[in-house]
Amino acid sequence: MFGRKWSRRAIIGSAVAVLVLIAAVALLRSRSGVQVAQVPFSDLLRHLDRGALAEVVVNGDTLDFKLRSGEAFRTTAPANYVTSNAAFVPELARRNVRLDVRTASEQSAYSYGALVLGVGFVGLLGFTLYRVTTGRIPALESKTREADPETATVTFDDVAGVDEAKAEVKEIVDFLREPERFSAIGGRIPKGVLLVGPPGTGKTLLARSIAGEAKAPFLFASGSDFVEMYAGVGASRIRKLFRDARRHPSCIVFIDELDAVGRSRGGNSLSHEEREQTLNQLLVEMDGFAPNQGIVIIAATNRPDILDPALLRPGRFDRQVTVGAPDVKGREQILKIHSKKVALDTDIDLRQIARGTPGFSGADLANLINEAALFAVRSGRQVVTNEDLDQARDKVLMGVERKSLAMSEHERITCAYHEAGHAVVAALLPDADPLHKVTIVPRGRALGVTMQLPEGDRYTHTREFLDAQLAILMGGRVAEELFLRQMTSGAGNDIERATDIARRMVCEFGMSTLGPLAYRTPGNPWETDRGAGISEATAQRVDEEVHELVMRGYETARQVVAKNRAAVRAMAEELLAVESLDADAIKTIIANAA
Ligand code: ADP
Ligand code: MG
Ligand code: ZN
């Protein structure tokens, strides 16, 4: 019985297949674009019943049909009628009606595409409306996240190099631990604390550690979560955030990237009305609870200058805590924290690494350790070596090595002499920072690099140091001129930096014959609103002094390079051979050439 049924199906199936094939061939021959009258589908069925139908062209659910009289019509069938109604096609065949079907590719690409787009669009529209009108789905209404147990265990010990900031927020921890006692003593706690500092210095980490220290819930939201294109969503998310916060006897609400919502009002960007609504809601919520209610709002930003002043008024974010880049001691501590999780070679001195990473943020240092561990793994070692750390530092510092970017041989030679010029001048001038490394391996946008290692973090510079710096910067160009009799654009950045230093020496540091005055000049891009306005004549003298300082640096470099040709040549040759030289190698080369 099963077999009989199957074979009948097979027959129908192949009949349909043949019909479809014929139809496809027919379609290729006749494709008329004539406009026809649209009629109800029942008309087609009636004509079919009467035996008046001559031809049907199926195009999805649109059917074009012709009567034996020659009249043509178009109709729309119920969805999938032709394919799902098992009787239709055989009936056409039985009545000798010509059946045409648009080819699958032609039809499906078109109609499925349209269908998917249509459904997608309608779905998105509905979804959006739902979101806006109800805001009932928690995941959509608010991206507030309570700290998971793991992040809740961050403590002050995990944050280093920002001791002052830590001391300032310590009070908040005391308050959150025992709010009643704290207010009984008469302690007044700020409602809002603004953590200000460059990216990667540990603002988010510090906020988490406050919650961890106080064992208080940590409600996290990012300013960018509140900036949506749909009116009212941001404000409703703010409302939800504070509703959540009020459920806890005490907690920390942390808003990262406050500037995303807190930008000054009055701009006229597209989303500005929405942002204003969100910001207003935030201000309302902050005003809506008493200072000692147990909620502390912490926000972070690296752009306090663009915040709406209303946010900084008393009772709002009236306490600012600066989270700055770590100094050398801070860097060492941060390195210590992050290297706890990796196995370090026994001869690694974290202090030395900290010295070699001025300007690195906490995030950069965490990244450095991580990259070093990856280098170690890649070379199949169990422990991280000094070499790994060196490589990792270069990578973090300069961006990924562009080993694949081939330099021409002439460019390599130019680069080697250029860097050797910098290096020899730096090595031989007594007031310069010691050299750390010279390399002609291109990294980031620089073709070569001469790195100096400051003795400690410098906050002030002596006149002698700056003069030496000018000479070092000129050393590259000078070496190119003396050895290769050429000038290249490669010195452009050096020249720019030197000019900048010289101008500051004249206009800011009082290190020229113009005396200790602050000069505001058009060429002085920093702090243009400070310092004395100057006369035309003085401006000219400023330019002359700047010129004089740079040219003196150039002259110093020329003398050093000319007197130490052998050292420059030796170093350039060595660079061409091994590409990178460390401090010891540099010393050896210079000692041998002397
Ligand atoms: P920010 O919020 O200031 O941009 P983050 O707190 O997000 O910086 O820092 C990113 C990561 O960098 C942290 O998770 C941590 O691993 C590391 N880090 C940054 N600053 C410090 C620091 N002061 N001490 C220890 N680790 C830090
Ligand atoms: Mg952050
Ligand atoms: Zn240079």
Side-chain angles (χ1 to χ4, degrees), residues 542-563:
V542 167
D543 289 341
E544 282 162 11
E545 289 289 337
V546 171
H547 181 255
E548 168 74 18
L549 283 174
V550 176
M551 286 317 288
R552 265 216 307 263
Y554 179 82
E555 213 31 64
T556 308
R558 219 181 148 80
Q559 280 169 21
V560 174
V561 172
K563 252 193 254 165

Side-chain angles (χ1 to χ4, degrees), residues 53-304:
L53 211 53
E55 183 187 325
V56 178
V57 179
V58 180
N59 181 3
D61 290 324
T62 301
L63 307 186
D64 289 308
F65 63 93
K66 240 187 221 157
L67 302 183
R68 296 201 191 279
S69 62
E71 293 168 78
F73 301 96
R74 168 168 290 183
T75 187
T76 307
N80 298 322
Y81 183 85
V82 179
T83 44
S84 61
N85 188 319
F88 183 66
V89 173
E91 179 71 8
L92 290 179
R94 198 176 64 79
R95 290 191 180 260
N96 232 344
V97 177
R98 230 185 87 179
L99 178 62
D100 236 2
V101 180
R102 289 282 156 104
T103 54
S105 63
E106 197 178 71
Q107 186 191 316
S108 64
Y110 209 84
S111 60
Y112 283 130
L115 187 73
V116 167
L117 275 178
V119 169
F121 182 72
V122 170
L124 199 71
L125 201 72
F127 182 72
T128 305
L129 278 174
Y130 187 65
R131 239 171 113 145
V132 171
T133 52
T134 69
R136 271 290 107 82
I137 314 172
L140 294 179
E141 182 190 30
S142 163
K143 293 188 182 168
T144 313
R145 301 176 276 275
E146 276 190 47
D148 44 64
E150 195 227 343
T151 53
T153 59
V154 175
T155 67
F156 278 168
D157 289 342
D158 298 303
V159 193
V162 286
D163 294 341
E164 281 162 48
K166 259 159 65 171
E168 284 195 62
V169 296
K170 172 97 182 16
E171 172 186 44
I172 298 167
V173 173
D174 296 338
F175 165 69
L176 286 169
R177 274 190 186 148
E178 294 172 285
E180 311 80 20
R181 230 194 61 158
F182 196 89
S183 30
I185 302 171
R188 265 193 49 110
I189 203 74
K191 268 189 203 174
V193 177
L194 187 60
L195 304 179
V196 178
T201 48
K203 298 180 293 296
T204 308
L205 192 68
L206 185 64
R208 280 192 196 285
S209 74
I210 296 170
E213 288 284 329
K215 298 193 169 54
F218 182 75
L219 276 66
F220 177 98
S222 175
S224 53
D225 296 346
F226 300 119
V227 182
E228 295 278 342
M229 21 193 248
Y230 316 113
V233 177
S236 107
R237 282 186 182 157
I238 296 265
R239 232 174 288 130
K240 166 78 161 48
L241 176 63
F242 282 84
R243 210 188 308 138
D244 287 351
R246 288 198 188 86
R247 286 203 195 108
H248 301 283
S250 72
C251 72
I252 286 183
V253 174
F254 178 64
I255 303 176
D256 212 348
E257 300 171 52
L258 181 66
D259 41 287
V261 260
R263 233 168 242 282
S264 301
R265 286 168 289 190
N268 48 6
S269 65
L270 266 181
S271 59
H272 125 86
E273 211 165 297
E274 156 67 355
R275 190 187 290 136
E276 190 158 312
Q277 224 176 337
T278 309
L279 176 55
N280 286 337
Q281 188 64 42
L282 176 62
L283 297 175
V284 166
E285 295 287 350
M286 286 192 79
D287 293 343
F289 62 87
N292 286 355
Q293 201 166 315
I295 301 175
V296 174
I297 306 157
I298 301 177
T301 183
N302 54 354
R303 296 293 312 274

